[in-house]
Structures are given as structure tokens and as C-alpha cells.
Short mmCIF file of all heavy atoms in Angstrom, two decimals:
data_model
loop_
_atom_site.label_atom_id
_atom_site.label_comp_id
_atom_site.label_asym_id
_atom_site.label_seq_id
_atom_site.Cartn_x
_atom_site.Cartn_y
_atom_site.Cartn_z
N PRO A 25 11.30 -51.76 16.52
CA PRO A 25 11.61 -50.40 16.16
C PRO A 25 11.56 -50.22 14.65
O PRO A 25 11.81 -51.12 13.86
CB PRO A 25 13.00 -50.19 16.69
CG PRO A 25 13.56 -51.51 16.94
CD PRO A 25 12.42 -52.45 17.09
N LEU A 26 11.20 -49.00 14.26
CA LEU A 26 11.16 -48.65 12.84
C LEU A 26 12.24 -47.62 12.58
O LEU A 26 12.14 -46.47 12.98
CB LEU A 26 9.77 -48.09 12.49
CG LEU A 26 9.53 -47.65 11.08
CD1 LEU A 26 9.66 -48.84 10.13
CD2 LEU A 26 8.17 -47.04 10.95
N PHE A 27 13.29 -48.03 11.88
CA PHE A 27 14.38 -47.15 11.62
C PHE A 27 14.15 -46.52 10.24
O PHE A 27 14.43 -47.05 9.19
CB PHE A 27 15.73 -47.91 11.61
CG PHE A 27 16.00 -48.52 12.94
CD1 PHE A 27 15.84 -49.88 13.16
CD2 PHE A 27 16.42 -47.72 14.00
CE1 PHE A 27 16.09 -50.41 14.37
CE2 PHE A 27 16.68 -48.28 15.24
CZ PHE A 27 16.52 -49.62 15.43
N LYS A 28 13.52 -45.32 10.28
CA LYS A 28 13.13 -44.62 9.08
C LYS A 28 13.31 -43.12 9.38
O LYS A 28 13.05 -42.66 10.48
CB LYS A 28 11.65 -44.93 8.79
CG LYS A 28 11.15 -44.48 7.48
CD LYS A 28 9.73 -44.98 7.29
CE LYS A 28 9.19 -44.68 5.93
NZ LYS A 28 7.84 -45.14 5.75
N SER A 29 13.76 -42.43 8.39
CA SER A 29 13.95 -40.97 8.51
C SER A 29 12.61 -40.33 8.79
O SER A 29 11.60 -40.63 8.12
CB SER A 29 14.62 -40.40 7.32
OG SER A 29 14.71 -39.00 7.41
N SER A 30 12.55 -39.38 9.70
CA SER A 30 11.27 -38.76 10.02
C SER A 30 10.74 -37.90 8.87
O SER A 30 9.56 -37.66 8.79
CB SER A 30 11.38 -37.92 11.30
OG SER A 30 12.28 -36.85 11.09
N ASP A 31 11.62 -37.47 7.99
CA ASP A 31 11.13 -36.67 6.87
C ASP A 31 10.42 -37.53 5.81
O ASP A 31 9.76 -37.03 4.91
CB ASP A 31 12.21 -35.85 6.19
CG ASP A 31 13.36 -36.68 5.60
OD1 ASP A 31 13.38 -37.87 5.85
OD2 ASP A 31 14.21 -36.08 4.92
N ALA A 32 10.46 -38.85 5.96
CA ALA A 32 9.83 -39.75 5.01
C ALA A 32 8.43 -40.21 5.51
O ALA A 32 7.75 -40.91 4.81
CB ALA A 32 10.72 -40.99 4.79
N SER A 33 8.07 -39.80 6.73
CA SER A 33 6.79 -40.29 7.29
C SER A 33 6.18 -39.22 8.19
O SER A 33 6.79 -38.79 9.18
CB SER A 33 7.02 -41.56 8.09
OG SER A 33 5.88 -41.91 8.82
N HIS A 34 4.93 -38.87 7.89
CA HIS A 34 4.20 -37.91 8.75
C HIS A 34 3.92 -38.53 10.12
O HIS A 34 3.92 -37.83 11.13
CB HIS A 34 2.90 -37.47 8.10
CG HIS A 34 3.12 -36.63 6.90
ND1 HIS A 34 3.53 -35.31 7.01
CD2 HIS A 34 2.98 -36.89 5.57
CE1 HIS A 34 3.64 -34.78 5.76
NE2 HIS A 34 3.33 -35.74 4.89
N PHE A 35 3.69 -39.83 10.14
CA PHE A 35 3.44 -40.49 11.43
C PHE A 35 4.63 -40.40 12.35
O PHE A 35 4.51 -40.10 13.52
CB PHE A 35 3.04 -41.96 11.18
CG PHE A 35 2.81 -42.70 12.47
CD1 PHE A 35 1.63 -42.52 13.19
CD2 PHE A 35 3.75 -43.58 12.97
CE1 PHE A 35 1.38 -43.20 14.39
CE2 PHE A 35 3.53 -44.28 14.15
CZ PHE A 35 2.36 -44.09 14.86
N ILE A 36 5.82 -40.62 11.78
CA ILE A 36 7.03 -40.57 12.63
C ILE A 36 7.29 -39.11 13.05
O ILE A 36 7.71 -38.86 14.16
CB ILE A 36 8.27 -41.15 11.86
CG1 ILE A 36 8.03 -42.66 11.66
CG2 ILE A 36 9.56 -40.91 12.62
CD1 ILE A 36 9.08 -43.34 10.86
N GLN A 37 7.04 -38.16 12.18
CA GLN A 37 7.17 -36.76 12.54
C GLN A 37 6.23 -36.40 13.72
O GLN A 37 6.64 -35.70 14.64
CB GLN A 37 6.84 -35.82 11.39
CG GLN A 37 7.92 -35.81 10.30
CD GLN A 37 7.53 -34.88 9.15
OE1 GLN A 37 6.54 -34.19 9.19
NE2 GLN A 37 8.38 -34.86 8.13
N PHE A 38 4.99 -36.91 13.65
CA PHE A 38 4.06 -36.62 14.75
C PHE A 38 4.50 -37.29 16.02
O PHE A 38 4.48 -36.67 17.09
CB PHE A 38 2.64 -37.10 14.38
CG PHE A 38 1.64 -36.77 15.40
CD1 PHE A 38 1.29 -35.46 15.66
CD2 PHE A 38 1.03 -37.78 16.15
CE1 PHE A 38 0.33 -35.14 16.65
CE2 PHE A 38 0.09 -37.44 17.13
CZ PHE A 38 -0.25 -36.16 17.37
N ALA A 39 4.98 -38.51 15.93
CA ALA A 39 5.48 -39.22 17.12
C ALA A 39 6.69 -38.51 17.72
O ALA A 39 6.79 -38.35 18.97
CB ALA A 39 5.86 -40.65 16.78
N ASP A 40 7.59 -37.99 16.87
CA ASP A 40 8.73 -37.19 17.33
C ASP A 40 8.25 -35.94 18.04
O ASP A 40 8.78 -35.57 19.10
CB ASP A 40 9.64 -36.82 16.17
CG ASP A 40 10.51 -37.94 15.68
OD1 ASP A 40 10.60 -38.99 16.35
OD2 ASP A 40 11.05 -37.78 14.58
N PHE A 41 7.28 -35.27 17.47
CA PHE A 41 6.74 -34.05 18.03
C PHE A 41 6.12 -34.31 19.42
O PHE A 41 6.37 -33.56 20.36
CB PHE A 41 5.68 -33.39 17.10
CG PHE A 41 4.93 -32.31 17.78
CD1 PHE A 41 5.52 -31.08 18.00
CD2 PHE A 41 3.63 -32.52 18.20
CE1 PHE A 41 4.79 -30.08 18.63
CE2 PHE A 41 2.94 -31.52 18.83
CZ PHE A 41 3.49 -30.26 19.07
N VAL A 42 5.29 -35.33 19.52
CA VAL A 42 4.65 -35.65 20.79
C VAL A 42 5.71 -35.97 21.85
O VAL A 42 5.62 -35.49 22.98
CB VAL A 42 3.64 -36.82 20.62
CG1 VAL A 42 3.17 -37.30 22.02
CG2 VAL A 42 2.49 -36.37 19.74
N ALA A 43 6.69 -36.80 21.49
CA ALA A 43 7.74 -37.18 22.45
C ALA A 43 8.56 -35.96 22.88
O ALA A 43 8.83 -35.79 24.08
CB ALA A 43 8.67 -38.24 21.82
N PHE A 44 8.91 -35.09 21.95
CA PHE A 44 9.71 -33.93 22.27
C PHE A 44 8.90 -32.94 23.11
O PHE A 44 9.41 -32.33 24.05
CB PHE A 44 10.24 -33.25 21.03
CG PHE A 44 11.20 -32.13 21.33
CD1 PHE A 44 12.45 -32.40 21.85
CD2 PHE A 44 10.81 -30.80 21.08
CE1 PHE A 44 13.32 -31.33 22.13
CE2 PHE A 44 11.69 -29.78 21.36
CZ PHE A 44 12.92 -30.04 21.90
N SER A 45 7.61 -32.73 22.76
CA SER A 45 6.83 -31.82 23.53
C SER A 45 6.57 -32.32 24.94
O SER A 45 6.54 -31.55 25.89
CB SER A 45 5.49 -31.54 22.84
OG SER A 45 4.69 -32.68 22.72
N LEU A 46 6.44 -33.64 25.10
CA LEU A 46 6.36 -34.22 26.47
C LEU A 46 7.65 -34.02 27.22
O LEU A 46 7.63 -33.63 28.38
CB LEU A 46 6.01 -35.71 26.40
CG LEU A 46 6.03 -36.43 27.76
CD1 LEU A 46 5.01 -35.84 28.73
CD2 LEU A 46 5.81 -37.91 27.54
N LEU A 47 8.77 -34.22 26.56
CA LEU A 47 10.03 -34.01 27.25
C LEU A 47 10.17 -32.60 27.72
O LEU A 47 10.53 -32.33 28.87
CB LEU A 47 11.23 -34.33 26.28
CG LEU A 47 12.63 -33.98 26.77
CD1 LEU A 47 13.03 -34.90 27.89
CD2 LEU A 47 13.61 -34.03 25.65
N ARG A 48 9.83 -31.63 26.88
CA ARG A 48 9.93 -30.23 27.24
C ARG A 48 8.86 -29.82 28.25
O ARG A 48 9.06 -28.90 29.04
CB ARG A 48 9.90 -29.30 26.02
CG ARG A 48 11.15 -29.39 25.26
CD ARG A 48 12.31 -28.81 26.09
NE ARG A 48 13.60 -29.29 25.57
CZ ARG A 48 14.50 -29.95 26.26
NH1 ARG A 48 14.25 -30.30 27.51
NH2 ARG A 48 15.62 -30.29 25.71
N ASN A 49 7.74 -30.51 28.27
CA ASN A 49 6.70 -30.22 29.26
C ASN A 49 7.17 -30.71 30.61
O ASN A 49 6.94 -30.04 31.61
CB ASN A 49 5.41 -30.96 28.87
CG ASN A 49 4.28 -30.67 29.81
OD1 ASN A 49 4.05 -31.40 30.74
ND2 ASN A 49 3.55 -29.63 29.55
N GLU A 50 7.86 -31.83 30.67
CA GLU A 50 8.36 -32.38 31.91
C GLU A 50 9.67 -31.64 32.39
O GLU A 50 9.87 -31.49 33.56
CB GLU A 50 8.66 -33.85 31.77
CG GLU A 50 7.43 -34.69 31.45
CD GLU A 50 6.56 -34.93 32.65
OE1 GLU A 50 7.11 -35.26 33.74
OE2 GLU A 50 5.32 -34.84 32.53
N ASN A 51 10.48 -31.23 31.43
CA ASN A 51 11.77 -30.59 31.72
C ASN A 51 11.90 -29.35 30.84
O ASN A 51 12.62 -29.38 29.85
CB ASN A 51 12.92 -31.54 31.42
CG ASN A 51 12.85 -32.81 32.27
OD1 ASN A 51 12.70 -32.73 33.48
ND2 ASN A 51 12.90 -33.95 31.61
N PRO A 52 11.25 -28.24 31.18
CA PRO A 52 11.32 -27.04 30.36
C PRO A 52 12.74 -26.48 30.30
O PRO A 52 13.52 -26.59 31.24
CB PRO A 52 10.38 -26.08 31.07
CG PRO A 52 9.65 -26.81 32.08
CD PRO A 52 10.40 -28.07 32.34
N VAL A 53 13.06 -25.85 29.15
CA VAL A 53 14.32 -25.17 28.98
C VAL A 53 13.98 -23.73 28.72
O VAL A 53 13.19 -23.44 27.80
CB VAL A 53 15.08 -25.80 27.77
CG1 VAL A 53 16.37 -25.04 27.54
CG2 VAL A 53 15.37 -27.27 28.04
N ALA A 54 14.60 -22.83 29.47
CA ALA A 54 14.26 -21.43 29.35
C ALA A 54 14.71 -20.75 28.04
O ALA A 54 14.23 -19.73 27.68
CB ALA A 54 14.91 -20.69 30.54
N THR A 55 15.56 -21.45 27.27
CA THR A 55 16.12 -20.80 26.07
C THR A 55 15.35 -21.10 24.83
O THR A 55 15.79 -20.72 23.77
CB THR A 55 17.56 -21.23 25.90
OG1 THR A 55 17.65 -22.63 25.80
CG2 THR A 55 18.46 -20.75 27.05
N THR A 56 14.21 -21.84 24.89
CA THR A 56 13.52 -22.18 23.67
C THR A 56 12.84 -20.90 23.10
O THR A 56 12.28 -20.08 23.85
CB THR A 56 12.46 -23.24 23.91
OG1 THR A 56 11.57 -22.83 24.91
CG2 THR A 56 13.11 -24.58 24.30
N LYS A 57 12.86 -20.78 21.77
CA LYS A 57 12.23 -19.62 21.14
C LYS A 57 10.75 -19.80 20.99
O LYS A 57 10.00 -18.85 20.97
CB LYS A 57 12.88 -19.40 19.78
CG LYS A 57 14.31 -18.99 19.84
CD LYS A 57 14.92 -18.78 18.49
CE LYS A 57 16.32 -18.43 18.62
NZ LYS A 57 17.00 -18.23 17.31
N ILE A 58 10.30 -21.04 20.91
CA ILE A 58 8.88 -21.35 20.84
C ILE A 58 8.47 -22.08 22.13
O ILE A 58 9.25 -22.70 22.75
CB ILE A 58 8.50 -22.17 19.60
CG1 ILE A 58 9.27 -23.48 19.57
CG2 ILE A 58 8.75 -21.39 18.34
CD1 ILE A 58 8.85 -24.38 18.50
N ASP A 59 7.24 -21.98 22.44
CA ASP A 59 6.73 -22.60 23.67
C ASP A 59 6.34 -24.06 23.46
O ASP A 59 5.19 -24.42 23.60
CB ASP A 59 5.58 -21.85 24.28
CG ASP A 59 5.95 -20.47 24.75
OD1 ASP A 59 7.10 -20.30 25.18
OD2 ASP A 59 5.10 -19.57 24.74
N VAL A 60 7.33 -24.89 23.06
CA VAL A 60 7.04 -26.29 22.75
C VAL A 60 6.55 -27.03 24.01
O VAL A 60 5.80 -28.00 23.90
CB VAL A 60 8.23 -26.97 22.07
CG1 VAL A 60 9.34 -27.26 23.04
CG2 VAL A 60 7.81 -28.26 21.41
N GLU A 61 6.97 -26.55 25.18
CA GLU A 61 6.51 -27.24 26.42
C GLU A 61 5.03 -27.05 26.62
O GLU A 61 4.39 -27.87 27.30
CB GLU A 61 7.31 -26.74 27.63
CG GLU A 61 7.12 -25.30 27.98
CD GLU A 61 8.07 -24.36 27.27
OE1 GLU A 61 8.85 -24.78 26.49
OE2 GLU A 61 7.97 -23.14 27.56
N LYS A 62 4.44 -26.01 26.05
CA LYS A 62 2.99 -25.85 26.15
C LYS A 62 2.22 -26.66 25.10
O LYS A 62 1.04 -26.87 25.22
CB LYS A 62 2.66 -24.34 25.99
CG LYS A 62 3.19 -23.51 27.09
CD LYS A 62 2.90 -22.06 26.88
CE LYS A 62 3.53 -21.21 27.96
NZ LYS A 62 3.35 -19.78 27.71
N SER A 63 2.92 -27.15 24.10
CA SER A 63 2.31 -27.91 23.03
C SER A 63 1.70 -29.21 23.52
O SER A 63 0.64 -29.65 23.10
CB SER A 63 3.32 -28.27 21.96
OG SER A 63 3.81 -27.07 21.38
N PHE A 64 2.34 -29.86 24.51
CA PHE A 64 1.81 -31.10 25.03
C PHE A 64 0.45 -30.92 25.69
O PHE A 64 -0.40 -31.81 25.62
CB PHE A 64 2.78 -31.76 26.00
CG PHE A 64 2.41 -33.18 26.33
CD1 PHE A 64 2.67 -34.19 25.41
CD2 PHE A 64 1.74 -33.49 27.50
CE1 PHE A 64 2.32 -35.53 25.71
CE2 PHE A 64 1.37 -34.78 27.77
CZ PHE A 64 1.66 -35.81 26.88
N GLU A 65 0.23 -29.77 26.29
CA GLU A 65 -1.05 -29.50 26.96
C GLU A 65 -2.18 -29.41 25.95
O GLU A 65 -3.33 -29.69 26.28
CB GLU A 65 -0.97 -28.21 27.77
CG GLU A 65 -0.02 -28.27 28.95
CD GLU A 65 -0.37 -29.43 29.90
OE1 GLU A 65 -1.53 -29.74 30.17
OE2 GLU A 65 0.60 -30.05 30.40
N GLN A 66 -1.86 -29.07 24.67
CA GLN A 66 -2.87 -29.01 23.61
C GLN A 66 -3.40 -30.42 23.32
O GLN A 66 -4.52 -30.59 22.80
CB GLN A 66 -2.33 -28.37 22.36
CG GLN A 66 -1.92 -26.96 22.53
CD GLN A 66 -3.12 -26.04 22.84
OE1 GLN A 66 -4.16 -26.17 22.24
NE2 GLN A 66 -2.93 -25.14 23.77
N LEU A 67 -2.60 -31.46 23.63
CA LEU A 67 -3.03 -32.84 23.37
C LEU A 67 -3.87 -33.41 24.50
O LEU A 67 -4.30 -34.53 24.42
CB LEU A 67 -1.79 -33.70 23.18
CG LEU A 67 -0.85 -33.31 22.05
CD1 LEU A 67 0.46 -34.14 22.11
CD2 LEU A 67 -1.54 -33.47 20.73
N ASN A 68 -4.09 -32.61 25.54
CA ASN A 68 -4.81 -33.08 26.72
C ASN A 68 -6.13 -33.70 26.39
O ASN A 68 -6.62 -34.66 27.03
CB ASN A 68 -4.97 -31.97 27.74
CG ASN A 68 -5.38 -32.46 29.07
OD1 ASN A 68 -4.93 -33.49 29.55
ND2 ASN A 68 -6.27 -31.69 29.72
N LYS A 69 -6.83 -33.18 25.37
CA LYS A 69 -8.16 -33.67 25.01
C LYS A 69 -8.15 -35.10 24.46
O LYS A 69 -9.14 -35.81 24.54
CB LYS A 69 -8.81 -32.75 23.97
CG LYS A 69 -9.01 -31.35 24.45
CD LYS A 69 -9.50 -30.56 23.31
CE LYS A 69 -9.37 -29.07 23.64
NZ LYS A 69 -9.65 -28.18 22.50
N ILE A 70 -7.03 -35.49 23.86
CA ILE A 70 -6.97 -36.82 23.22
C ILE A 70 -6.08 -37.83 23.94
O ILE A 70 -5.90 -38.92 23.46
CB ILE A 70 -6.49 -36.67 21.75
CG1 ILE A 70 -5.13 -36.07 21.66
CG2 ILE A 70 -7.49 -35.86 20.95
CD1 ILE A 70 -4.51 -36.16 20.28
N LEU A 71 -5.54 -37.44 25.10
CA LEU A 71 -4.70 -38.38 25.82
C LEU A 71 -5.52 -39.54 26.38
O LEU A 71 -6.65 -39.34 26.86
CB LEU A 71 -3.98 -37.69 27.00
CG LEU A 71 -2.95 -36.63 26.63
CD1 LEU A 71 -2.44 -35.98 27.92
CD2 LEU A 71 -1.80 -37.27 25.89
N ASN A 72 -4.96 -40.70 26.33
CA ASN A 72 -5.62 -41.90 26.95
C ASN A 72 -5.19 -41.94 28.38
O ASN A 72 -4.20 -42.56 28.76
CB ASN A 72 -5.25 -43.16 26.21
CG ASN A 72 -5.89 -44.41 26.81
OD1 ASN A 72 -6.70 -44.30 27.73
ND2 ASN A 72 -5.50 -45.54 26.32
N LYS A 73 -5.92 -41.25 29.25
CA LYS A 73 -5.54 -41.13 30.66
C LYS A 73 -5.74 -42.44 31.40
O LYS A 73 -5.20 -42.62 32.49
CB LYS A 73 -6.31 -40.03 31.28
CG LYS A 73 -5.93 -38.70 30.66
CD LYS A 73 -6.72 -37.55 31.16
CE LYS A 73 -6.33 -36.30 30.37
NZ LYS A 73 -7.18 -35.19 30.57
N TRP A 74 -6.45 -43.42 30.79
CA TRP A 74 -6.63 -44.72 31.42
C TRP A 74 -5.40 -45.62 31.19
O TRP A 74 -5.36 -46.71 31.76
CB TRP A 74 -7.88 -45.38 30.91
CG TRP A 74 -9.11 -44.70 31.38
CD1 TRP A 74 -9.89 -43.82 30.73
CD2 TRP A 74 -9.72 -44.83 32.69
NE1 TRP A 74 -10.90 -43.38 31.50
CE2 TRP A 74 -10.85 -44.00 32.72
CE3 TRP A 74 -9.38 -45.61 33.83
CZ2 TRP A 74 -11.65 -43.87 33.82
CZ3 TRP A 74 -10.20 -45.49 34.92
CH2 TRP A 74 -11.32 -44.64 34.93
N ALA A 75 -4.48 -45.17 30.32
CA ALA A 75 -3.28 -46.00 30.10
C ALA A 75 -2.50 -46.25 31.38
O ALA A 75 -1.88 -47.29 31.58
CB ALA A 75 -2.39 -45.33 29.06
N CYS A 76 -2.51 -45.23 32.27
CA CYS A 76 -1.86 -45.35 33.56
C CYS A 76 -2.59 -44.47 34.54
O CYS A 76 -2.31 -43.29 34.68
CB CYS A 76 -0.38 -44.97 33.47
SG CYS A 76 0.50 -45.18 34.99
N ILE A 77 -3.57 -45.05 35.22
CA ILE A 77 -4.37 -44.26 36.15
C ILE A 77 -3.62 -43.81 37.36
O ILE A 77 -4.07 -42.97 38.12
CB ILE A 77 -5.70 -44.96 36.51
CG1 ILE A 77 -5.37 -46.32 37.21
CG2 ILE A 77 -6.58 -45.17 35.30
CD1 ILE A 77 -6.61 -46.99 37.75
N THR A 78 -2.42 -44.37 37.60
CA THR A 78 -1.63 -44.00 38.73
C THR A 78 -0.65 -42.91 38.45
O THR A 78 0.16 -42.54 39.30
CB THR A 78 -0.87 -45.25 39.30
OG1 THR A 78 0.02 -45.73 38.26
CG2 THR A 78 -1.82 -46.31 39.77
N ASP A 79 -0.69 -42.31 37.22
CA ASP A 79 0.22 -41.21 36.90
C ASP A 79 -0.07 -40.05 37.86
O ASP A 79 -1.18 -39.54 37.89
CB ASP A 79 -0.01 -40.78 35.44
CG ASP A 79 0.85 -39.59 35.02
OD1 ASP A 79 1.82 -39.29 35.76
OD2 ASP A 79 0.57 -39.02 33.96
N PRO A 80 0.92 -39.64 38.60
CA PRO A 80 0.71 -38.56 39.59
C PRO A 80 0.28 -37.24 38.92
O PRO A 80 -0.35 -36.40 39.61
CB PRO A 80 2.01 -38.42 40.32
CG PRO A 80 3.01 -39.07 39.45
CD PRO A 80 2.30 -40.08 38.63
N LYS A 81 0.58 -37.01 37.68
CA LYS A 81 0.20 -35.78 37.01
C LYS A 81 -1.13 -35.90 36.27
O LYS A 81 -1.57 -34.96 35.64
CB LYS A 81 1.31 -35.30 36.06
CG LYS A 81 2.57 -34.96 36.83
CD LYS A 81 3.60 -34.36 35.93
CE LYS A 81 4.86 -33.98 36.73
NZ LYS A 81 5.84 -33.30 35.89
N GLY A 82 -1.74 -37.13 36.30
CA GLY A 82 -3.03 -37.31 35.70
C GLY A 82 -3.05 -37.28 34.18
O GLY A 82 -4.12 -37.06 33.60
N LYS A 83 -1.92 -37.50 33.49
CA LYS A 83 -1.87 -37.47 32.08
C LYS A 83 -1.94 -38.87 31.46
O LYS A 83 -1.98 -39.01 30.22
CB LYS A 83 -0.58 -36.80 31.59
CG LYS A 83 -0.47 -35.37 32.01
CD LYS A 83 0.84 -34.75 31.57
CE LYS A 83 0.93 -33.33 32.06
NZ LYS A 83 2.20 -32.71 31.72
N GLY A 84 -1.92 -39.90 32.26
CA GLY A 84 -1.95 -41.27 31.73
C GLY A 84 -0.60 -41.78 31.23
O GLY A 84 -0.56 -42.75 30.52
N ILE A 85 0.45 -41.09 31.61
CA ILE A 85 1.77 -41.45 31.17
C ILE A 85 2.37 -42.51 32.08
O ILE A 85 2.31 -42.42 33.30
CB ILE A 85 2.70 -40.21 31.15
CG1 ILE A 85 2.13 -39.19 30.15
CG2 ILE A 85 4.13 -40.58 30.81
CD1 ILE A 85 2.79 -37.86 30.21
N ILE A 86 2.92 -43.52 31.48
CA ILE A 86 3.54 -44.64 32.22
C ILE A 86 4.96 -44.18 32.56
O ILE A 86 5.76 -43.89 31.72
CB ILE A 86 3.59 -45.90 31.43
CG1 ILE A 86 2.15 -46.35 31.07
CG2 ILE A 86 4.29 -47.03 32.18
CD1 ILE A 86 2.06 -47.43 30.05
N ARG A 87 5.20 -44.04 33.83
CA ARG A 87 6.49 -43.51 34.34
C ARG A 87 7.19 -44.62 35.09
O ARG A 87 6.59 -45.45 35.72
CB ARG A 87 6.29 -42.30 35.29
CG ARG A 87 5.52 -41.19 34.58
CD ARG A 87 5.14 -40.11 35.58
NE ARG A 87 4.25 -39.18 34.99
CZ ARG A 87 4.63 -38.10 34.37
NH1 ARG A 87 5.87 -37.79 34.27
NH2 ARG A 87 3.72 -37.27 33.85
N LYS A 88 8.52 -44.59 35.05
CA LYS A 88 9.29 -45.60 35.75
C LYS A 88 10.00 -44.95 36.88
O LYS A 88 10.42 -43.88 36.93
CB LYS A 88 10.31 -46.25 34.86
CG LYS A 88 11.02 -47.35 35.54
CD LYS A 88 11.93 -48.07 34.60
CE LYS A 88 12.64 -49.14 35.46
NZ LYS A 88 13.61 -49.84 34.75
#
């Protein structure tokens, strides 16, 4: 793990964004002011769907 403030690294900010948008895509909250749950769908073009070909949603996400 890399314990570093996200404001010190654009890479960590992007990783935080991807993780949070995936969380909201999987578990939407009706009270969000922005449509962050739709943000993950914008990444569809660059997802490595071969990472987990058994993902039932076809996104390549490894689920437990």
C-alpha cells in the first residue's frame, strides 16, 4: 500500500475517482448532486474486460 495524501498525487486522485465511481455505479445513492455513478460507464472503452471474463456484468471486475 501507498500511504500518501491524494492531493499530492494525480495518480492517486484518479485511482480514488475510479474506485468511487465504481462504488456508486454498483450502489447508487439517490442524493448525489452529480451523476458520479454514470462516470464509471465513461471508462468502458478502456476497461480490461479480460481481467475477469466471468464477471456477470461484463466489466472485467474481479468480484468476491
